[in-house]
Structures are given as structure tokens and as C-alpha cells.
Short mmCIF file of all heavy atoms in Angstrom, two decimals:
data_model
loop_
_atom_site.label_atom_id
_atom_site.label_comp_id
_atom_site.label_asym_id
_atom_site.label_seq_id
_atom_site.Cartn_x
_atom_site.Cartn_y
_atom_site.Cartn_z
N PHE A 1 44.24 -76.01 72.42
CA PHE A 1 44.52 -75.72 73.81
C PHE A 1 46.02 -75.56 74.00
O PHE A 1 46.75 -76.56 74.03
CB PHE A 1 43.97 -76.84 74.67
CG PHE A 1 43.59 -76.42 76.07
CD1 PHE A 1 42.79 -75.34 76.28
CD2 PHE A 1 44.04 -77.12 77.15
CE1 PHE A 1 42.43 -74.97 77.54
CE2 PHE A 1 43.70 -76.78 78.43
CZ PHE A 1 42.90 -75.70 78.61
N SER A 2 46.51 -74.38 74.10
CA SER A 2 47.95 -74.17 74.18
C SER A 2 48.40 -74.15 75.62
O SER A 2 47.61 -73.85 76.56
CB SER A 2 48.30 -72.83 73.52
OG SER A 2 47.76 -71.77 74.25
N PRO A 3 49.67 -74.45 75.88
CA PRO A 3 50.18 -74.43 77.24
C PRO A 3 50.08 -73.06 77.89
O PRO A 3 49.85 -72.93 79.08
CB PRO A 3 51.66 -74.88 77.11
CG PRO A 3 51.71 -75.55 75.79
CD PRO A 3 50.66 -74.96 74.93
N SER A 4 50.30 -72.01 77.09
CA SER A 4 50.20 -70.66 77.68
C SER A 4 48.76 -70.32 78.11
O SER A 4 48.53 -69.64 79.11
CB SER A 4 50.69 -69.62 76.69
OG SER A 4 49.89 -69.61 75.56
N GLY A 5 47.78 -70.84 77.40
CA GLY A 5 46.40 -70.65 77.75
C GLY A 5 46.06 -71.37 79.03
O GLY A 5 45.36 -70.84 79.91
N ALA A 6 46.58 -72.59 79.21
CA ALA A 6 46.33 -73.34 80.45
C ALA A 6 47.04 -72.64 81.62
O ALA A 6 46.50 -72.54 82.69
CB ALA A 6 46.85 -74.76 80.30
N ARG A 7 48.26 -72.17 81.37
CA ARG A 7 49.02 -71.48 82.42
C ARG A 7 48.26 -70.18 82.83
O ARG A 7 48.15 -69.84 83.98
CB ARG A 7 50.41 -71.12 81.94
CG ARG A 7 51.29 -70.60 83.04
CD ARG A 7 52.72 -70.35 82.58
NE ARG A 7 53.20 -71.40 81.67
CZ ARG A 7 53.85 -71.15 80.55
NH1 ARG A 7 54.13 -69.91 80.18
NH2 ARG A 7 54.23 -72.13 79.76
N GLY A 8 47.74 -69.48 81.84
CA GLY A 8 46.95 -68.27 82.12
C GLY A 8 45.72 -68.56 82.93
O GLY A 8 45.37 -67.78 83.81
N ALA A 9 45.06 -69.68 82.62
CA ALA A 9 43.87 -70.03 83.36
C ALA A 9 44.21 -70.36 84.79
O ALA A 9 43.46 -70.00 85.72
CB ALA A 9 43.20 -71.22 82.71
N VAL A 10 45.31 -71.07 85.01
CA VAL A 10 45.73 -71.41 86.39
C VAL A 10 46.08 -70.14 87.15
O VAL A 10 45.67 -69.97 88.29
CB VAL A 10 46.90 -72.40 86.35
CG1 VAL A 10 47.54 -72.55 87.74
CG2 VAL A 10 46.44 -73.74 85.85
N VAL A 11 46.87 -69.23 86.52
CA VAL A 11 47.23 -67.99 87.16
C VAL A 11 45.98 -67.17 87.52
O VAL A 11 45.84 -66.61 88.60
CB VAL A 11 48.20 -67.17 86.29
CG1 VAL A 11 48.39 -65.78 86.81
CG2 VAL A 11 49.55 -67.89 86.21
N PHE A 12 45.05 -67.10 86.57
CA PHE A 12 43.82 -66.35 86.82
C PHE A 12 43.02 -66.97 87.98
O PHE A 12 42.54 -66.24 88.84
CB PHE A 12 42.95 -66.31 85.56
CG PHE A 12 41.65 -65.67 85.76
CD1 PHE A 12 41.53 -64.27 85.85
CD2 PHE A 12 40.48 -66.40 85.87
CE1 PHE A 12 40.32 -63.66 86.04
CE2 PHE A 12 39.26 -65.81 86.07
CZ PHE A 12 39.19 -64.42 86.15
N THR A 13 42.91 -68.27 88.00
CA THR A 13 42.15 -68.97 89.04
C THR A 13 42.78 -68.75 90.41
O THR A 13 42.11 -68.40 91.38
CB THR A 13 42.05 -70.46 88.74
OG1 THR A 13 41.43 -70.61 87.46
CG2 THR A 13 41.28 -71.17 89.77
N VAL A 14 44.09 -68.95 90.49
CA VAL A 14 44.77 -68.76 91.79
C VAL A 14 44.75 -67.33 92.24
O VAL A 14 44.47 -67.06 93.42
CB VAL A 14 46.24 -69.31 91.66
CG1 VAL A 14 47.04 -68.94 92.92
CG2 VAL A 14 46.23 -70.79 91.46
N SER A 15 44.95 -66.41 91.33
CA SER A 15 44.94 -64.99 91.74
C SER A 15 43.51 -64.56 92.15
O SER A 15 43.33 -63.79 93.09
CB SER A 15 45.49 -64.08 90.65
OG SER A 15 44.70 -64.18 89.49
N SER A 16 42.49 -65.07 91.44
CA SER A 16 41.12 -64.75 91.83
C SER A 16 40.77 -65.28 93.24
O SER A 16 40.18 -64.57 94.03
CB SER A 16 40.13 -65.35 90.84
OG SER A 16 40.32 -64.77 89.57
N LEU A 17 41.22 -66.50 93.49
CA LEU A 17 41.00 -67.07 94.83
C LEU A 17 41.70 -66.24 95.89
O LEU A 17 41.15 -65.96 96.94
CB LEU A 17 41.48 -68.52 94.86
CG LEU A 17 41.34 -69.24 96.19
CD1 LEU A 17 39.89 -69.36 96.59
CD2 LEU A 17 41.99 -70.61 96.09
N PHE A 18 42.94 -65.84 95.60
CA PHE A 18 43.68 -65.00 96.55
C PHE A 18 42.97 -63.70 96.83
O PHE A 18 42.79 -63.31 97.99
CB PHE A 18 45.08 -64.71 96.03
CG PHE A 18 45.83 -63.71 96.81
CD1 PHE A 18 46.42 -64.05 98.05
CD2 PHE A 18 46.00 -62.43 96.36
CE1 PHE A 18 47.08 -63.12 98.78
CE2 PHE A 18 46.68 -61.47 97.10
CZ PHE A 18 47.23 -61.81 98.32
N PHE A 19 42.52 -63.00 95.79
CA PHE A 19 41.83 -61.74 95.96
C PHE A 19 40.50 -61.91 96.70
O PHE A 19 40.15 -61.07 97.54
CB PHE A 19 41.61 -61.03 94.63
CG PHE A 19 42.85 -60.39 94.08
CD1 PHE A 19 43.40 -60.82 92.90
CD2 PHE A 19 43.50 -59.38 94.77
CE1 PHE A 19 44.55 -60.24 92.39
CE2 PHE A 19 44.66 -58.80 94.30
CZ PHE A 19 45.19 -59.23 93.09
N ILE A 20 39.75 -62.96 96.42
CA ILE A 20 38.52 -63.20 97.13
C ILE A 20 38.78 -63.43 98.61
O ILE A 20 38.11 -62.82 99.47
CB ILE A 20 37.75 -64.41 96.52
CG1 ILE A 20 37.20 -64.02 95.18
CG2 ILE A 20 36.66 -64.89 97.43
CD1 ILE A 20 36.68 -65.22 94.37
N ILE A 21 39.75 -64.26 98.93
CA ILE A 21 40.07 -64.54 100.33
C ILE A 21 40.57 -63.26 101.02
O ILE A 21 40.15 -62.91 102.13
CB ILE A 21 41.10 -65.66 100.45
CG1 ILE A 21 40.44 -66.97 100.06
CG2 ILE A 21 41.68 -65.75 101.88
CD1 ILE A 21 41.43 -68.13 99.95
N PHE A 22 41.46 -62.55 100.35
CA PHE A 22 42.05 -61.34 100.97
C PHE A 22 41.00 -60.24 101.19
O PHE A 22 40.90 -59.70 102.28
CB PHE A 22 43.21 -60.85 100.09
CG PHE A 22 43.96 -59.72 100.70
CD1 PHE A 22 44.83 -59.95 101.76
CD2 PHE A 22 43.79 -58.43 100.26
CE1 PHE A 22 45.54 -58.90 102.33
CE2 PHE A 22 44.50 -57.37 100.82
CZ PHE A 22 45.37 -57.61 101.87
N PHE A 23 40.26 -59.90 100.14
CA PHE A 23 39.38 -58.76 100.22
C PHE A 23 38.02 -59.06 100.84
O PHE A 23 37.33 -58.12 101.29
CB PHE A 23 39.18 -58.11 98.87
CG PHE A 23 40.38 -57.37 98.38
CD1 PHE A 23 41.15 -57.83 97.35
CD2 PHE A 23 40.78 -56.18 99.01
CE1 PHE A 23 42.27 -57.17 96.94
CE2 PHE A 23 41.90 -55.51 98.60
CZ PHE A 23 42.65 -55.99 97.57
N SER A 24 37.61 -60.31 100.94
CA SER A 24 36.32 -60.61 101.56
C SER A 24 36.45 -61.22 102.92
O SER A 24 35.46 -61.31 103.64
CB SER A 24 35.47 -61.48 100.66
OG SER A 24 36.04 -62.77 100.56
N GLU A 25 37.61 -61.68 103.30
CA GLU A 25 37.82 -62.31 104.61
C GLU A 25 38.79 -61.51 105.47
O GLU A 25 38.44 -61.12 106.59
CB GLU A 25 38.33 -63.76 104.43
CG GLU A 25 37.32 -64.70 103.86
CD GLU A 25 36.19 -65.04 104.80
OE1 GLU A 25 36.40 -64.99 106.02
OE2 GLU A 25 35.10 -65.32 104.31
N MET A 26 39.96 -61.29 104.98
CA MET A 26 41.03 -60.73 105.81
C MET A 26 40.85 -59.21 106.02
O MET A 26 40.95 -58.75 107.16
CB MET A 26 42.36 -61.01 105.19
CG MET A 26 42.72 -62.48 105.20
SD MET A 26 44.23 -62.85 104.33
CE MET A 26 45.42 -62.17 105.44
N VAL A 27 40.59 -58.44 104.98
CA VAL A 27 40.52 -57.00 105.10
C VAL A 27 39.34 -56.58 106.00
O VAL A 27 39.51 -55.76 106.92
CB VAL A 27 40.48 -56.30 103.74
CG1 VAL A 27 40.15 -54.85 103.85
CG2 VAL A 27 41.79 -56.54 103.01
N PRO A 28 38.12 -57.06 105.78
CA PRO A 28 37.03 -56.60 106.66
C PRO A 28 37.23 -56.95 108.13
O PRO A 28 36.94 -56.11 108.99
CB PRO A 28 35.78 -57.34 106.11
CG PRO A 28 36.13 -57.70 104.72
CD PRO A 28 37.59 -57.93 104.72
N LYS A 29 37.80 -58.11 108.43
CA LYS A 29 38.01 -58.50 109.80
C LYS A 29 39.13 -57.63 110.42
O LYS A 29 39.02 -57.21 111.58
CB LYS A 29 38.37 -59.96 109.92
CG LYS A 29 37.19 -60.84 109.62
CD LYS A 29 37.55 -62.30 109.60
CE LYS A 29 36.34 -63.13 109.19
NZ LYS A 29 36.66 -64.50 109.00
N SER A 30 40.17 -57.36 109.67
CA SER A 30 41.27 -56.51 110.16
C SER A 30 40.79 -55.12 110.44
O SER A 30 41.13 -54.50 111.44
CB SER A 30 42.42 -56.52 109.19
OG SER A 30 42.96 -57.80 109.01
N VAL A 31 40.02 -54.57 109.50
CA VAL A 31 39.49 -53.20 109.68
C VAL A 31 38.54 -53.17 110.87
O VAL A 31 38.54 -52.22 111.66
CB VAL A 31 38.81 -52.70 108.38
CG1 VAL A 31 38.08 -51.41 108.61
CG2 VAL A 31 39.83 -52.57 107.27
N GLY A 32 37.72 -54.19 111.01
CA GLY A 32 36.80 -54.24 112.15
C GLY A 32 37.51 -54.31 113.47
O GLY A 32 37.03 -53.75 114.47
N VAL A 33 38.63 -55.01 113.53
CA VAL A 33 39.40 -55.11 114.77
C VAL A 33 40.13 -53.78 115.05
O VAL A 33 40.19 -53.36 116.21
CB VAL A 33 40.40 -56.30 114.68
CG1 VAL A 33 41.43 -56.23 115.81
CG2 VAL A 33 39.64 -57.60 114.75
N LEU A 34 40.62 -53.13 114.02
CA LEU A 34 41.40 -51.91 114.23
C LEU A 34 40.50 -50.71 114.53
O LEU A 34 40.91 -49.81 115.26
CB LEU A 34 42.26 -51.62 113.00
CG LEU A 34 43.38 -52.60 112.73
CD1 LEU A 34 44.07 -52.28 111.41
CD2 LEU A 34 44.38 -52.57 113.86
N MET A 35 39.31 -50.66 113.95
CA MET A 35 38.41 -49.49 114.12
C MET A 35 37.01 -49.94 114.41
O MET A 35 36.08 -49.69 113.61
CB MET A 35 38.45 -48.66 112.83
CG MET A 35 39.81 -48.10 112.50
SD MET A 35 39.75 -47.10 111.02
CE MET A 35 39.31 -48.26 109.73
N PRO A 36 36.77 -50.58 115.55
CA PRO A 36 35.42 -51.14 115.76
C PRO A 36 34.33 -50.07 115.93
O PRO A 36 33.20 -50.24 115.45
CB PRO A 36 35.56 -51.93 117.05
CG PRO A 36 36.74 -51.41 117.75
CD PRO A 36 37.65 -50.91 116.63
N ARG A 37 34.62 -48.95 116.55
CA ARG A 37 33.59 -47.92 116.75
C ARG A 37 33.19 -47.25 115.45
O ARG A 37 32.01 -46.98 115.18
CB ARG A 37 34.04 -46.91 117.77
CG ARG A 37 34.07 -47.45 119.16
CD ARG A 37 34.27 -46.33 120.17
NE ARG A 37 34.47 -46.87 121.49
CZ ARG A 37 33.47 -47.03 122.37
NH1 ARG A 37 32.24 -46.71 122.04
NH2 ARG A 37 33.73 -47.52 123.56
N LYS A 38 34.20 -46.96 114.61
CA LYS A 38 33.87 -46.35 113.29
C LYS A 38 33.05 -47.30 112.42
O LYS A 38 32.11 -46.92 111.79
CB LYS A 38 35.16 -45.93 112.58
CG LYS A 38 35.81 -44.74 113.18
CD LYS A 38 37.02 -44.31 112.40
CE LYS A 38 37.69 -43.14 113.06
NZ LYS A 38 38.88 -42.71 112.32
N ILE A 39 33.43 -48.57 112.40
CA ILE A 39 32.72 -49.54 111.60
C ILE A 39 31.30 -49.70 112.14
O ILE A 39 30.34 -49.80 111.35
CB ILE A 39 33.47 -50.88 111.57
CG1 ILE A 39 34.84 -50.72 110.94
CG2 ILE A 39 32.68 -51.95 110.87
CD1 ILE A 39 34.82 -50.27 109.51
N ALA A 40 31.16 -49.76 113.44
CA ALA A 40 29.81 -49.90 114.04
C ALA A 40 28.93 -48.69 113.69
O ALA A 40 27.76 -48.81 113.44
CB ALA A 40 29.94 -50.07 115.53
N TRP A 41 29.56 -47.50 113.71
CA TRP A 41 28.80 -46.28 113.42
C TRP A 41 28.33 -46.29 111.97
O TRP A 41 27.17 -45.93 111.69
CB TRP A 41 29.66 -45.05 113.70
CG TRP A 41 28.89 -43.80 113.66
CD1 TRP A 41 28.15 -43.25 114.63
CD2 TRP A 41 28.78 -42.89 112.52
NE1 TRP A 41 27.59 -42.10 114.20
CE2 TRP A 41 27.95 -41.82 112.91
CE3 TRP A 41 29.34 -42.90 111.25
CZ2 TRP A 41 27.65 -40.80 112.07
CZ3 TRP A 41 29.01 -41.84 110.41
CH2 TRP A 41 28.19 -40.81 110.82
N PHE A 42 29.19 -46.70 111.03
CA PHE A 42 28.82 -46.72 109.64
C PHE A 42 27.87 -47.85 109.26
O PHE A 42 27.03 -47.73 108.37
CB PHE A 42 30.06 -46.81 108.73
CG PHE A 42 30.76 -45.49 108.56
CD1 PHE A 42 32.02 -45.30 109.07
CD2 PHE A 42 30.16 -44.42 107.92
CE1 PHE A 42 32.70 -44.10 108.92
CE2 PHE A 42 30.80 -43.20 107.79
CZ PHE A 42 32.09 -43.04 108.27
N SER A 43 27.99 -48.96 109.95
CA SER A 43 27.20 -50.13 109.57
C SER A 43 25.91 -50.26 110.38
O SER A 43 25.09 -51.11 110.06
CB SER A 43 28.00 -51.40 109.70
OG SER A 43 28.37 -51.60 111.04
N GLY A 44 25.74 -49.48 111.39
CA GLY A 44 24.56 -49.58 112.24
C GLY A 44 23.25 -49.31 111.54
O GLY A 44 22.33 -50.09 111.65
N LEU A 45 23.20 -48.22 110.81
CA LEU A 45 21.95 -47.85 110.11
C LEU A 45 21.59 -48.84 109.01
O LEU A 45 20.42 -49.29 108.96
CB LEU A 45 22.06 -46.45 109.53
CG LEU A 45 20.79 -45.92 108.85
CD1 LEU A 45 19.64 -45.83 109.85
CD2 LEU A 45 21.06 -44.59 108.21
N PRO A 46 22.52 -49.24 108.15
CA PRO A 46 22.14 -50.28 107.14
C PRO A 46 21.70 -51.58 107.77
O PRO A 46 20.80 -52.26 107.29
CB PRO A 46 23.40 -50.46 106.30
CG PRO A 46 24.18 -49.23 106.50
CD PRO A 46 23.86 -48.72 107.87
N MET A 47 22.37 -51.98 108.89
CA MET A 47 21.97 -53.19 109.55
C MET A 47 20.56 -53.11 110.14
O MET A 47 19.79 -54.03 110.07
CB MET A 47 22.98 -53.55 110.66
CG MET A 47 24.35 -53.87 110.17
SD MET A 47 24.51 -55.56 109.71
CE MET A 47 24.65 -56.29 111.31
N MET A 48 20.25 -51.94 110.75
CA MET A 48 18.94 -51.75 111.31
C MET A 48 17.88 -51.80 110.20
O MET A 48 16.80 -52.42 110.38
CB MET A 48 18.87 -50.38 112.01
CG MET A 48 17.57 -50.11 112.70
SD MET A 48 17.44 -48.51 113.44
CE MET A 48 17.34 -47.46 112.02
N ILE A 49 18.14 -51.18 109.08
CA ILE A 49 17.20 -51.21 107.97
C ILE A 49 17.00 -52.63 107.45
O ILE A 49 15.88 -53.06 107.18
CB ILE A 49 17.66 -50.27 106.83
CG1 ILE A 49 17.59 -48.80 107.33
CG2 ILE A 49 16.85 -50.46 105.58
CD1 ILE A 49 18.22 -47.81 106.38
N ALA A 50 18.11 -53.37 107.32
CA ALA A 50 18.02 -54.76 106.85
C ALA A 50 17.19 -55.61 107.77
O ALA A 50 16.37 -56.43 107.36
CB ALA A 50 19.41 -55.35 106.65
N VAL A 51 17.37 -55.45 109.08
CA VAL A 51 16.61 -56.23 110.05
C VAL A 51 15.15 -55.88 109.98
O VAL A 51 14.27 -56.77 110.03
CB VAL A 51 17.16 -56.01 111.48
CG1 VAL A 51 16.25 -56.56 112.53
CG2 VAL A 51 18.56 -56.63 111.59
N ARG A 52 14.82 -54.59 109.83
CA ARG A 52 13.40 -54.21 109.75
C ARG A 52 12.76 -54.73 108.46
O ARG A 52 11.59 -55.07 108.46
CB ARG A 52 13.31 -52.69 109.76
CG ARG A 52 13.80 -52.08 111.06
CD ARG A 52 12.67 -51.51 111.87
NE ARG A 52 13.12 -51.19 113.22
CZ ARG A 52 13.20 -49.99 113.71
NH1 ARG A 52 12.85 -48.96 112.97
NH2 ARG A 52 13.60 -49.80 114.93
N VAL A 53 13.52 -54.78 107.38
CA VAL A 53 12.97 -55.27 106.11
C VAL A 53 12.75 -56.77 106.17
O VAL A 53 11.74 -57.29 105.69
CB VAL A 53 13.89 -54.89 104.93
CG1 VAL A 53 13.51 -55.63 103.66
CG2 VAL A 53 13.86 -53.39 104.69
N ILE A 54 13.69 -57.52 106.76
CA ILE A 54 13.66 -58.99 106.78
C ILE A 54 12.74 -59.52 107.91
O ILE A 54 12.19 -60.62 107.78
CB ILE A 54 15.08 -59.54 106.96
CG1 ILE A 54 15.91 -59.16 105.76
CG2 ILE A 54 15.09 -61.02 107.14
CD1 ILE A 54 15.43 -59.72 104.46
N SER A 55 12.52 -58.76 108.97
CA SER A 55 11.82 -59.30 110.11
C SER A 55 10.41 -59.84 109.83
O SER A 55 10.03 -60.84 110.46
CB SER A 55 11.78 -58.23 111.24
OG SER A 55 11.06 -57.12 110.84
N PRO A 56 9.62 -59.29 108.93
CA PRO A 56 8.32 -59.92 108.65
C PRO A 56 8.46 -61.33 108.07
O PRO A 56 7.56 -62.15 108.26
CB PRO A 56 7.64 -59.00 107.65
CG PRO A 56 8.32 -57.69 107.80
CD PRO A 56 9.70 -57.98 108.23
N ALA A 57 9.54 -61.64 107.39
CA ALA A 57 9.71 -62.94 106.75
C ALA A 57 10.41 -63.94 107.67
O ALA A 57 10.53 -65.09 107.31
CB ALA A 57 10.49 -62.80 105.45
N LEU A 58 10.85 -63.52 108.84
CA LEU A 58 11.61 -64.43 109.72
C LEU A 58 10.83 -65.65 110.16
O LEU A 58 11.41 -66.74 110.23
CB LEU A 58 12.17 -63.69 110.90
CG LEU A 58 13.40 -62.82 110.60
CD1 LEU A 58 13.85 -62.06 111.86
CD2 LEU A 58 14.54 -63.64 110.06
N PRO A 59 9.53 -65.55 110.51
CA PRO A 59 8.80 -66.78 110.87
C PRO A 59 8.77 -67.77 109.72
O PRO A 59 8.93 -68.99 109.94
CB PRO A 59 7.40 -66.30 111.20
CG PRO A 59 7.59 -64.87 111.63
CD PRO A 59 8.71 -64.38 110.78
N LEU A 60 8.58 -67.32 108.49
CA LEU A 60 8.60 -68.23 107.33
C LEU A 60 9.97 -68.85 107.15
O LEU A 60 10.09 -70.05 106.93
CB LEU A 60 8.21 -67.48 106.08
CG LEU A 60 8.25 -68.26 104.78
CD1 LEU A 60 7.24 -69.39 104.79
CD2 LEU A 60 8.03 -67.33 103.61
N ILE A 61 11.01 -68.05 107.25
CA ILE A 61 12.37 -68.58 107.13
C ILE A 61 12.71 -69.59 108.20
O ILE A 61 13.29 -70.63 107.94
CB ILE A 61 13.40 -67.40 107.11
CG1 ILE A 61 13.21 -66.53 105.87
CG2 ILE A 61 14.81 -67.91 107.19
CD1 ILE A 61 13.96 -65.26 105.89
N SER A 62 12.27 -69.29 109.44
CA SER A 62 12.50 -70.25 110.52
C SER A 62 11.75 -71.55 110.31
O SER A 62 12.27 -72.65 110.56
CB SER A 62 12.09 -69.63 111.84
OG SER A 62 12.88 -68.50 112.15
N GLY A 63 10.53 -71.47 109.82
CA GLY A 63 9.74 -72.68 109.53
C GLY A 63 10.35 -73.53 108.45
O GLY A 63 10.42 -74.75 108.56
N VAL A 64 10.83 -72.86 107.37
CA VAL A 64 11.47 -73.59 106.27
C VAL A 64 12.77 -74.24 106.79
O VAL A 64 13.07 -75.41 106.46
CB VAL A 64 11.74 -72.67 105.09
CG1 VAL A 64 12.61 -73.31 104.06
CG2 VAL A 64 10.43 -72.22 104.44
N ASN A 65 13.53 -73.50 107.59
CA ASN A 65 14.76 -74.02 108.15
C ASN A 65 14.49 -75.25 109.00
O ASN A 65 15.18 -76.27 108.91
CB ASN A 65 15.47 -72.93 108.93
CG ASN A 65 16.84 -73.36 109.43
OD1 ASN A 65 17.43 -74.27 108.89
ND2 ASN A 65 17.31 -72.69 110.45
N LEU A 66 13.50 -75.18 109.86
CA LEU A 66 13.16 -76.31 110.72
C LEU A 66 12.67 -77.50 109.89
O LEU A 66 13.05 -78.66 110.15
CB LEU A 66 12.05 -75.87 111.72
CG LEU A 66 11.63 -76.96 112.71
CD1 LEU A 66 12.80 -77.38 113.60
CD2 LEU A 66 10.48 -76.42 113.53
N GLY A 67 11.87 -77.25 108.88
CA GLY A 67 11.39 -78.32 108.01
C GLY A 67 12.52 -79.02 107.27
O GLY A 67 12.57 -80.25 107.18
N VAL A 68 13.46 -78.24 106.75
CA VAL A 68 14.62 -78.81 106.05
C VAL A 68 15.48 -79.62 107.02
O VAL A 68 15.93 -80.71 106.70
CB VAL A 68 15.42 -77.72 105.35
CG1 VAL A 68 16.74 -78.24 104.84
CG2 VAL A 68 14.63 -77.13 104.19
N GLN A 69 15.66 -79.11 108.23
CA GLN A 69 16.44 -79.84 109.22
C GLN A 69 15.78 -81.17 109.54
O GLN A 69 16.45 -82.22 109.61
CB GLN A 69 16.59 -79.06 110.50
CG GLN A 69 17.61 -77.96 110.44
CD GLN A 69 17.68 -77.18 111.75
OE1 GLN A 69 16.81 -77.30 112.62
NE2 GLN A 69 18.71 -76.37 111.90
N ARG A 70 14.50 -81.18 109.75
CA ARG A 70 13.77 -82.42 110.08
C ARG A 70 13.72 -83.37 108.89
O ARG A 70 13.72 -84.61 109.10
CB ARG A 70 12.38 -82.12 110.58
CG ARG A 70 12.40 -81.46 111.94
CD ARG A 70 10.99 -81.28 112.45
NE ARG A 70 11.04 -80.70 113.78
CZ ARG A 70 10.00 -80.31 114.44
NH1 ARG A 70 8.79 -80.45 113.94
NH2 ARG A 70 10.10 -79.77 115.64
N LEU A 71 13.69 -82.86 107.69
CA LEU A 71 13.67 -83.71 106.52
C LEU A 71 15.01 -84.33 106.20
O LEU A 71 15.12 -85.51 105.93
CB LEU A 71 13.21 -82.91 105.30
CG LEU A 71 13.10 -83.65 103.99
CD1 LEU A 71 12.00 -84.68 104.06
CD2 LEU A 71 12.81 -82.65 102.88
N LEU A 72 16.09 -83.53 106.31
CA LEU A 72 17.43 -83.99 105.93
C LEU A 72 18.18 -84.66 107.09
O LEU A 72 18.93 -85.61 106.87
CB LEU A 72 18.25 -82.84 105.39
CG LEU A 72 17.75 -82.24 104.09
CD1 LEU A 72 18.61 -81.09 103.66
CD2 LEU A 72 17.64 -83.27 102.98
N TRP A 73 18.00 -84.14 108.31
CA TRP A 73 18.73 -84.69 109.47
C TRP A 73 17.75 -84.96 110.60
O TRP A 73 17.73 -84.25 111.62
CB TRP A 73 19.75 -83.68 109.98
CG TRP A 73 20.78 -83.33 108.95
CD1 TRP A 73 21.80 -84.08 108.51
CD2 TRP A 73 20.90 -82.07 108.28
NE1 TRP A 73 22.51 -83.38 107.61
CE2 TRP A 73 22.01 -82.16 107.45
CE3 TRP A 73 20.15 -80.89 108.34
CZ2 TRP A 73 22.37 -81.08 106.64
CZ3 TRP A 73 20.53 -79.83 107.55
CH2 TRP A 73 21.65 -79.97 106.70
N PRO A 74 16.89 -85.97 110.48
CA PRO A 74 15.84 -86.20 111.50
C PRO A 74 16.40 -86.56 112.87
O PRO A 74 15.77 -86.30 113.88
CB PRO A 74 14.99 -87.31 110.92
CG PRO A 74 15.82 -87.95 109.87
CD PRO A 74 16.82 -86.91 109.40
N SER A 75 17.57 -87.19 112.93
CA SER A 75 18.09 -87.61 114.24
C SER A 75 19.15 -86.64 114.76
O SER A 75 19.79 -86.92 115.79
CB SER A 75 18.67 -89.00 114.16
OG SER A 75 19.76 -89.00 113.22
N PHE A 76 19.37 -85.53 114.09
CA PHE A 76 20.46 -84.61 114.50
C PHE A 76 20.04 -83.78 115.67
O PHE A 76 19.04 -83.18 115.73
CB PHE A 76 20.86 -83.74 113.34
CG PHE A 76 22.07 -82.89 113.60
CD1 PHE A 76 23.27 -83.43 113.96
CD2 PHE A 76 21.96 -81.52 113.51
CE1 PHE A 76 24.37 -82.66 114.21
CE2 PHE A 76 23.07 -80.72 113.73
CZ PHE A 76 24.29 -81.29 114.09
#
């Protein structure tokens, strides 16, 4: 285990975290604030399709969610 290997691992980890935060959190929100109508126009159809595909399973998902809540946090 060489010091340069450890340094490389730290640099890789920190840079990966930076890129994940920047490209998955900051950029989409900034673009959405700057161009809301264009983003809504492009994302409307995929969102509609996703809702239609998932909607038959929503009662099952809600029931599982409620069961887990009652099991893990009964007094919440």
C-alpha cells in the first residue's frame, strides 16, 4: 500500500463526490430554474408515461409503505 495509491484513492473519492453533487443536484436545479417551460415541455411526456406505468402498482406500494411505517414507527 503505497502513499501515492492512498492519495490517489482520496483524490478519486473526493472528486467523485464533487461530480455527483454537482451534476445530480446543482445542475438540474439550476437548469430547471433558468428554463422551466423548456424543461417542463421535454419532461412532461416521460413523466406521464412513468405515472401511467406505475399507477397500477400504487395501491400495493402504499400498503407496503403503511405496513412498514406501522411496523418500524408505531407511535409516529
Side-chain angles (χ1 to χ4, degrees):
F1 207 52
S2 67
S4 64
R7 189 176 321 135
V10 169
V11 169
F12 176 76
T13 302
V14 170
S15 62
S16 296
L17 179 63
F18 171 75
F19 284 117
I20 289 170
I21 291 171
F22 186 74
F23 287 110
S24 68
E25 291 290 331
M26 294 174 70
V27 171
K29 290 175 184 172
S30 299
V31 171
V33 167
L34 293 174
M35 300 181 294
R37 290 191 186 266
K38 287 183 182 179
I39 298 299
W41 189 82
F42 281 115
S43 64
L45 183 62
M47 294 275 283
M48 183 184 71
I49 292 171
V51 168
R52 297 249 169 115
V53 167
I54 296 297
S55 63
L58 283 178
L60 176 65
I61 293 170
S62 296
V64 169
N65 186 22
L66 181 63
V68 168
Q69 282 179 347
R70 289 185 178 175
L71 180 67
L72 296 179
W73 300 287
S75 62
F76 186 59

